[in-house]
Amino acid sequence: MPAIAVVLALAVAGFAGIAQAQQRPPQGGPGSLAGPIQTPSLIMRDVVVEGNQRIEPSTIQSYLTAQPGESFTEEQADRSLKALFATGLFSDVNLRMQGATLIVRVTENPVINRVVFEGNRRMSDDQLSKELTLKARQVYTRTKVQNDTQRIQQIYRRSGRFAATVEPKVIQLPQNRVDLVFEISEGPVTTVSRIRFIGNRAFGDGRLRETIQTKESVWWRFLSSDDNYDPDRVTFDREKLRKYYLSKGFADFRVTNAVAELSPNRETFFITFTLDEGDRYKVGKIDLTSELKNVDPQSLRKLIEMTSGDWYNADLVEKNVQTLTSELGRLGYAFVDVRPEVQKNRDKHSIDVTFVIGESPRVYVERIDVVGNVRTLDKVIRREFRLVEGDAFNSAKLRRTRTRVRGLNFFDKAEISESKGSAPDKVILTAEVQERSTGELSFGIGYSTAEAVIGDVSIRERNLLGRGQDLRLGFSLSTRRQQVDLGFTEPYFLDRELAAGFDLLRRRTDLVRRSGFTQTTTSGTVRAGFPITEYLDDQVFYRLRLDEIDDVDPGQSRFIKDEAGSYTTSSIGNALVYDRRDDKIEPTAGYIIKLSQELAGLGGSERFFRNTLQAGHYFGITDDVVFALSGETGQIHAFGQRLRLPNRYFIGGDSFRGFATGGVGPRETVNNKAIGAQYYYVGTAELTFPLGLPNDFGIKGRLFTDAGSAWHSAESGPDVRDTNGLRVSIGTGVSWKSPFGLIRLDIGFPVIKEDYDEKELFRVNFGSRF
């Protein structure tokens, strides 16, 4: 900033002698006065502003500490200068007295016409502009330009580009305007080539590298940014190391230093963590005390998952705090304070732990608020609450509410928080949601040796008009199948906990390759579902179905020829579902059991009774690794007639990976066609795990094995191959929550099979949401 010369010229003749006696102040720096004025103050009669282009003189005059008719001293001149510079509107200000007139001469800062970025390829203009303080039509100042230059460099460093340089340039334009150009040289990504640990004795470098988030750069991490250097991530790694050691009993652990050294070519970093592990402690005495009058500490001791003599684990202590807090919340104490008090016995290398339950009154729900919903009606969310205004607070019911709201699958985020109400014994519950697109345009594709490529398209709205209604229209098309289906569900029919809906289906399937005929199915179903208990639901339905079998080749076996014609099935059924999963969309714990029955014979030509049992259990090994066991079995019996082929079980495809649809089960020997089974079972063990990529990618891997069988076709004779022998397949798969929807790829390999079974190598399914 140019130097400011501040001169107070005393021009009044009556003060000439005194003026000669003054000590004349030397020139000062910007906005300062070099020496005091020891004369009586002058009366300022007028103010003249010079040099201004955009700013009105009255605006400039308003920043002066004295106005015409008032005295004007050196102190007031200094304060006026500071006030004018503080506006950021001027690059230079000069004050001088000419007689009784104050002359204010200013040089205005230019106005920014536009801000331009050059050389940026990895960062878009919008990303950079959002981070800057300078915008078009704002006043240009050097200080702001320097700050914004540093800000751009920080953005690039945060993305791992420490070699990035930024040079601001100013292009002068008419009318005191400028174009501000940031010339950027992004440079390469600065990766981490080596991570070392000093002072670690209990755990090797490899184990500690797995604990922290920063990773060493290797070729297979091209989809990850964890091998880019980020100082914030290194700080986070220090905390992760501390928590890891605390979970292993090292209560005195410290990270004494974390140094990141940049290589001479500025392309890689070498990170060194210096550790002080300290001694390892075991759990000593465990105690629990309560200040709550109506709570017996002895009844809560059984909830503590710690044993004296075990290695001390800070994570387990915190888990016990959460368990005790949850149990007390179930008893109605919403804001109870459970504090773990630890006492180190350094001589014994043990830690005594006492859980102290602080005093808290019983709490009641004062109000329930719903925020963040734009389309979805409040009542759609409120009806999932297991608590209402006036109820005693219960944390178990609150957790169940949270599960039910998330289970709607209408929201990207669904959190329910508690806050204190208008009195100590009242609580306000707030459901904060962030809506997602509930319209789905889904595409599916599969491949099998029996049906080649299969594609389907479906349009679905799971939250119709924000009322929670589900409407679906689907189309399937392939060289062997054409299908259209329509379904509608009202989850709270007549504002009661009664889900009612209907399904319509029209499907024509070319099953010549699989079973030797073409089948056309037309059906209509009405259904209703209602809860029996909190976790047990019952679903009932009535279905009317017409099956037409034609295009039977004359060369087919008698089993296939006998199926030609039309058949009508009128049936009722129900399904009991007991669901204790923690999440309906992506369960990580809990189990589900479903028992279904269908009775046909209330009119129509077909008479049979079908039973199906399905179950699944989920085990969360870690936060990201889930092991699941599932299985299903079914049987069907006809009454006084032969069971028609369309009503039998055809196992394979999605239900038994590694085998084609209908690839497992009885087959006739004339043309090796599937003729369906009356009994079947399939069991699956599956492990889902992350692939080491960032969670934002939504990519997970799977390992699975399927085992089962299908047998008894209701046909007999030497030209039927039918066995209940076990079949087993193993395989792997990948799922990706892509911008187009969930994509699943499964590759299955039969390891135990019959020689007449039909195999299928892989299946792919994908969808898109709008």
Side-chain angles (χ1 to χ4, degrees):
M1 184 177 290
I4 306 298
V6 180
V7 179
L8 295 178
L10 303 178
V12 181
F15 293 141
I18 301 176
Q20 291 175 359
Q22 283 185 294
Q23 179 182 358
R24 191 174 185 85
Q27 293 294 326
S32 65
L33 294 175
I37 297 178
Q38 302 179 14
T39 64
S41 59
L42 299 177
I43 301 301
M44 181 176 58
R45 300 299 182 185
D46 195 11
V47 177
V48 176
V49 178
E50 299 177 350
N52 57 310
Q53 299 181 32
R54 303 184 311 275
I55 304 170
E56 294 293 331
S58 59
T59 302
I60 297 174
Q61 186 175 339
S62 68
Y63 289 101
L64 300 176
T65 58
Q67 300 300 320
E70 298 177 356
S71 61
F72 193 71
T73 65
E74 183 179 7
E75 180 183 356
Q76 289 172 320
D78 183 61
R79 289 164 53 195
S80 297
L81 280 172
K82 292 179 180 178
L84 287 167
F85 274 110
T87 64
L89 300 173
F90 310 105
S91 60
D92 194 9
V93 179
N94 184 279
L95 302 180
R96 63 186 175 88
M97 289 295 298
Q98 185 173 327
T101 301
L102 176 65
I103 307 298
V104 182
R105 182 164 188 82
V106 298
T107 302
E108 295 179 355
N109 279 322
V111 173
I112 297 175
N113 178 57
R114 59 174 181 160
V115 179
V116 180
F117 303 96
E118 294 182 356
N120 55 309
R121 298 186 303 275
R122 303 296 179 180
M123 296 284 180
S124 67
D125 289 359
D126 290 340
Q127 287 177 292
L128 297 175
S129 296
K130 291 177 182 178
E131 301 289 343
L132 302 188
T133 58
L134 287 173
K135 310 288 183 184
R137 295 184 296 279
Q138 289 187 353
V139 176
Y140 168 94
T141 67
R142 291 188 177 182
T143 302
K144 290 183 178 180
V145 171
Q146 292 171 355
N147 292 338
D148 282 350
T149 299
Q150 294 175 0
R151 181 61 180 159
I152 294 173
Q153 288 177 327
Q154 290 175 1
I155 294 171
Y156 275 98
R157 288 180 178 180
R158 220 167 44 217
S159 65
R161 296 180 181 273
F162 279 77
T165 59
V166 182
E167 183 179 352
K169 291 189 175 180
V170 176
I171 300 175
Q172 299 289 341
L173 299 175
Q175 300 178 351
N176 199 25
R177 295 177 302 126
V178 296
D179 283 344
L180 178 59
V181 180
F182 290 99
E183 293 186 353
I184 301 171
S185 175
E186 295 181 325
V189 173
T190 311
T191 58
V192 177
S193 61
R194 188 172 69 243
I195 301 174
R196 297 194 321 164
F197 300 90
I198 298 175
N200 54 311
R201 301 183 306 276
F203 306 102
D205 286 10
R207 183 67 190 90
L208 297 180
R209 290 191 190 101
E210 294 176 0
T211 301
I212 63 177
Q213 185 174 350
T214 303
K215 305 298 181 184
E216 292 182 343
S217 180
V218 287
W219 68 268
W220 64 78
R221 291 201 174 98
F222 62 93
L223 290 177
S224 172
S225 62
D226 287 343
D227 59 346
N228 297 345
Y229 175 71
D230 185 343
D232 294 335
R233 188 186 295 139
V234 172
T235 302
F236 178 64
D237 289 338
R238 296 178 63 140
E239 180 62 19
K240 293 200 72 172
L241 286 169
R242 189 187 71 84
K243 291 187 66 176
Y244 177 74
Y245 269 91
L246 284 176
S247 70
K248 301 301 182 181
F250 293 87
D252 297 328
F253 172 81
R254 293 183 307 127
V255 179
T256 59
N257 201 6
V259 178
E261 300 176 80
L262 186 61
S263 65
N265 61 5
R266 302 178 65 86
E267 293 184 359
T268 62
F269 270 95
F270 308 103
I271 301 177
T272 303
F273 293 95
T274 304
L275 314 179
D276 181 5
E277 292 183 332
D279 296 327
R280 194 176 188 187
Y281 292 80
K282 290 188 176 182
V283 178
K285 296 179 182 178
I286 302 173
D287 198 5
L288 187 148
T289 62
S290 173
E291 299 174 4
L292 301 177
K293 298 179 181 179
N294 299 323
V295 174
D296 180 15
Q298 297 299 325
S299 64
L300 299 175
R301 288 180 183 273
K302 61 183 179 181
L303 299 176
I304 300 177
E305 300 178 6
M306 295 179 66
T307 305
S308 296
D310 291 345
W311 291 114
Y312 176 77
N313 186 336
D315 289 345
L316 187 57
V317 172
E318 182 61 27
K319 180 181 178 182
N320 283 301
V321 169
Q322 296 297 330
T323 301
L324 292 170
T325 303
S326 177
E327 178 63 16
L328 291 166
R330 189 184 66 81
L331 298 176
Y333 299 95
F335 300 104
V336 67
D337 181 25
V338 180
R339 304 185 308 276
E341 295 182 353
V342 298
Q343 178 65 44
K344 291 182 183 178
N345 304 310
R346 297 185 182 277
D347 54 338
K348 298 180 181 179
H349 292 91
S350 66
I351 297 179
D352 298 334
V353 183
T354 302
F355 295 94
V356 180
I357 301 174
E359 186 174 358
S360 174
R362 284 186 177 272
V363 179
Y364 299 87
V365 178
E366 178 181 8
R367 191 174 73 247
I368 297 175
D369 295 331
V370 179
V371 297
N373 53 316
V374 179
R375 295 182 60 237
T376 308
L377 302 181
D378 277 13
K379 72 174 185 178
V380 173
I381 301 172
R382 288 179 178 274
R383 65 196 183 191
E384 302 299 330
F385 270 73
R386 303 297 93 180
L387 292 163
V388 298
E389 284 88 347
D391 282 357
F393 179 83
N394 186 303
S395 62
K397 289 185 177 180
L398 185 65
R399 287 195 304 272
R400 178 61 179 164
T401 297
R402 187 178 292 111
T403 299
R404 289 178 65 94
V405 173
R406 291 174 178 173
L408 292 173
N409 202 23
F410 298 163
F411 312 107
D412 282 326
K413 183 183 77 171
E415 299 294 340
I416 302 176
S417 58
E418 314 108 68
S419 58
K420 294 184 178 180
S422 59
D425 63 342
K426 293 183 179 179
V427 63
I428 297 174
L429 302 181
T430 302
E432 183 179 357
V433 300
Q434 181 179 335
E435 293 181 325
R436 66 167 54 155
S437 297
T438 52
E440 296 180 4
L441 175 60
S442 298
F443 303 88
I445 184 171
Y447 175 83
S448 74
T449 56
E451 296 190 27
V453 178
I454 308 166
D456 64 81
V457 179
S458 67
I459 302 173
R460 182 182 183 187
E461 174 53 64
R462 295 178 290 104
N463 188 14
L464 187 65
L465 302 177
R467 299 177 179 273
Q469 299 167 338
D470 191 339
L471 178 65
R472 179 184 182 277
L473 177 63
F475 303 89
S476 294
L477 179 65
S478 73
T479 56
R480 301 184 180 92
R481 183 178 62 184
Q482 302 84 44
Q483 174 179 314
V484 57
D485 59 280
L486 174 68
F488 175 79
T489 301
E490 167 55 69
Y492 279 78
F493 186 62
L494 300 177
D495 288 329
R496 299 178 180 273
E497 283 196 89
L498 176 66
F502 66 86
D503 299 293
L504 301 175
L505 170 70
R506 172 74 174 183
R507 178 176 62 219
R508 181 170 177 81
T509 309
D510 182 355
L511 299 173
V512 172
R513 187 169 181 180
R514 189 195 79 181
S515 299
F517 58 83
T518 299
Q519 177 180 337
T520 302
T521 299
T522 306
S523 69
T525 305
V526 291
R527 47 185 165 76
F530 53 91
I532 299 176
T533 67
E534 180 63 29
Y535 301 101
L536 180 63
D537 294 337
D538 191 18
Q539 302 169 2
V540 297
F541 68 87
Y542 170 77
R543 178 179 297 125
L544 181 63
R545 191 181 82 195
L546 173 64
D547 290 302
E548 300 175 74
I549 294 179
D550 53 21
D551 291 343
V552 179
D553 190 281
Q556 297 297 329
S557 66
R558 59 185 176 88
F559 308 113
I560 306 300
K561 292 179 180 179
D562 290 345
E563 296 296 326
S566 299
Y567 312 100
T568 304
T569 304
S570 175
S571 63
I572 59 172
N574 83 297
L576 287 170
V577 181
Y578 188 68
D579 191 349
R580 294 302 302 266
R581 295 174 296 175
D582 62 341
D583 191 286
K584 292 183 178 180
I585 309 302
E586 292 184 350
T588 60
Y591 59 91
I592 181 173
I593 303 173
K594 182 177 181 180
L595 176 63
S596 306
Q597 295 90 28
E598 182 180 5
L599 175 64
L602 306 176
S605 60
E606 303 305 297
R607 291 172 175 79
F608 60 82
F609 182 67
R610 185 197 308 268
N611 278 300
T612 306
L613 176 64
Q614 299 169 295
H617 204 310
Y618 301 86
F619 306 88
I621 300 176
T622 67
D623 292 340
D624 297 322
V625 179
V626 179
F627 179 66
L629 290 173
S630 61
E632 59 181 285
T633 183
Q635 59 178 357
I636 183 170
H637 295 281
F639 299 117
Q641 63 178 127
R642 175 173 169 270
L643 182 67
R644 299 292 181 183
L645 193 145
N647 296 319
R648 302 173 194 172
Y649 296 114
F650 292 87
I651 308 303
D654 290 332
S655 62
F656 202 150
R657 288 162 291 190
F659 294 91
T661 302
V664 175
R667 308 183 82 82
E668 50 84 21
T669 60
V670 176
N671 297 296
N672 197 35
K673 301 298 184 184
I675 54 178
Q678 291 185 251
Y679 304 93
Y680 85 97
Y681 69 89
V682 177
T684 297
E686 183 171 283
L687 182 69
T688 304
F689 51 89
L691 295 176
L693 302 175
N695 292 332
D696 294 343
F697 284 23
I699 299 178
K700 291 187 176 182
R702 290 191 307 279
L703 295 174
F704 64 84
T705 179
D706 295 339
S709 185
W711 70 98
H712 194 66
S713 68
E715 312 289 359
S716 60
D719 46 359
V720 173
R721 290 186 284 189
D722 188 358
T723 176
N724 61 358
L726 177 68
R727 280 82 157 179
V728 177
S729 68
I730 61 173
T732 184
V734 175
S735 61
W736 176 29
K737 288 183 178 178
S738 75
F740 306 101
L742 182 65
I743 298 177
R744 294 172 57 97
L745 169 64
D746 289 314
I747 302 176
F749 304 92
V751 293
I752 300 177
K753 69 180 189 68
E754 299 296 330
D755 58 359
Y756 54 85
D757 290 337
E758 291 271 351
K759 297 185 296 182
E760 180 181 77
L761 178 60
F762 67 89
R763 291 185 71 86
V764 181
N765 288 281
F766 65 92
S768 178
R769 291 178 178 160
F770 61 90

